[in-house]
Amino acid sequence: EAGVVQSPRYKIIEKKQPVAFWCNPISGHNTLYWYLQNLGQGPELLIRYENEEAVDDSQLPKDRFSAERLKGVDSTLKIQPAELGDSAVYLCASSSTSGRQYFGPGTRLTVT
Amino acid sequence: GDSVTQMEGPVTLSEEACLTINCTYTATGYPSLFWYVQYPGEGLQLLLKATKADDKGSNKGFEATYRKETTSFHLEKGSVQVSDSAVYFCALIYSGGGADGLTFGKGTHLIIQP
């Protein structure tokens, strides 16, 4: 069974540019999560989806961050415009009704 | 809010040494507790879990016991190997449904020398 797929794995952009990350969860997993992992820190939840509905986006900085999961399968996280402090690893995870979360390899963003 | 505190790293040990990585938590209810491991260049993987007080999670020679009285979930292994070198994260979910977001500690980098 394929795991959680994320792309790109690495992204380097200049500040003020837009950037988007893509995540394809494990087939059949209705719950999808986006986490932010700063260097030397543990992941922090940004947003959680149940199917196509965002059920917890309280930690998502809505002035510059947006996310969507239009058909309840894959998801996109966007930053516009990016700031230097957005340099981090963006993790996607998915889970089924069991609740166990499976993580993708992450996208490492560097903003210069 | 809920939080997880784990010992600072890096932790450097020789092969076959005993390992303990401390983890304590604060939560307003009865969370499920987890240890995740992140090997170099790979994604986070669940190592073990415990869902209620006095439960012991175990996997790959690692163990951790859910201690409600001390709000702790320390990770232990009797004899570490070079292949155990990784970053270890303690985490909790405060939800009966288990579908909420995880709250992680900052991670402990473990380095095992041959």
Side-chain angles (χ1 to χ4, degrees):
Chain A
E1 164 180 283
V4 176
V5 179
Q6 291 188 248
S7 68
R9 291 293 307 276
Y10 305 91
K11 188 73 176 181
I12 301 173
I13 61 171
E14 294 182 346
K15 62 181 180 182
K16 301 185 181 179
Q17 294 302 306
V19 64
F21 315 124
W22 176 80
C23 172
N24 186 252
I26 292 173
S27 178
H29 282 195
N30 295 329
T31 309
L32 184 145
Y33 313 76
W34 283 103
Y35 289 86
L36 166 67
Q37 186 176 14
N38 286 305
L39 185 65
Q41 304 292 317
E44 299 174 12
L45 181 68
L46 288 173
I47 190 168
R48 171 170 67 95
Y49 281 92
E50 291 291 340
N51 298 303
E52 65 274 10
E53 181 181 1
V55 296
D56 183 0
D57 63 354
S58 58
Q59 302 304 311
L60 190 72
K62 297 180 182 63
D63 56 336
R64 298 183 300 107
F65 286 65
S66 64
E68 59 183 15
R69 193 186 185 198
L70 293 176
K71 296 184 179 180
V73 181
D74 54 355
S75 176
T76 303
L77 177 68
K78 298 179 182 178
I79 309 174
Q80 183 172 7
E83 297 179 352
L84 294 176
D86 296 330
S87 295
V89 176
Y90 293 82
L91 296 170
C92 180
S94 69
S95 69
S96 63
T97 53
S98 73
R100 174 178 172 175
Q101 296 185 29
Y102 293 80
F103 285 82
T107 296
R108 182 178 297 276
L109 173 67
T110 301
V111 181
T112 63
Chain B
D2 301 332
S3 66
V4 175
T5 302
Q6 56 183 109
M7 62 190 292
E8 301 263 339
V11 173
T12 304
L13 296 172
S14 297
E15 201 166 22
E16 299 184 1
C18 294
L19 168 72
T20 299
I21 300 178
N22 291 333
C23 171
T24 58
Y25 67 91
T26 57
T28 54
Y30 302 100
S32 295
L33 301 174
F34 304 80
W35 277 100
Y36 278 81
V37 59
Q38 189 170 37
Y39 297 104
E42 299 184 16
L44 280 165
Q45 302 175 25
L46 179 64
L47 180 60
L48 53 83
K49 70 175 183 180
T51 57
K52 62 183 186 295
D54 299 325
D55 267 1
K56 178 186 284 188
S58 61
N59 186 25
K60 298 182 180 180
F62 290 89
E63 294 183 338
T65 301
Y66 190 142
R67 301 289 187 195
K68 179 184 170 184
E69 63 275 14
T70 55
T71 61
S72 65
F73 193 55
H74 304 322
L75 182 67
E76 299 176 327
K77 187 173 185 181
S79 176
V80 293
Q81 306 300 314
V82 172
S83 58
D84 294 327
S85 298
V87 181
Y88 292 81
F89 293 91
C90 186
L92 65 82
I93 283 181
Y94 177 44
S95 166
D100 291 348
L102 289 154
T103 298
F104 286 89
K106 291 184 177 182
T108 302
H109 187 191
L110 176 64
I111 301 170
I112 307 301
Q113 297 178 333

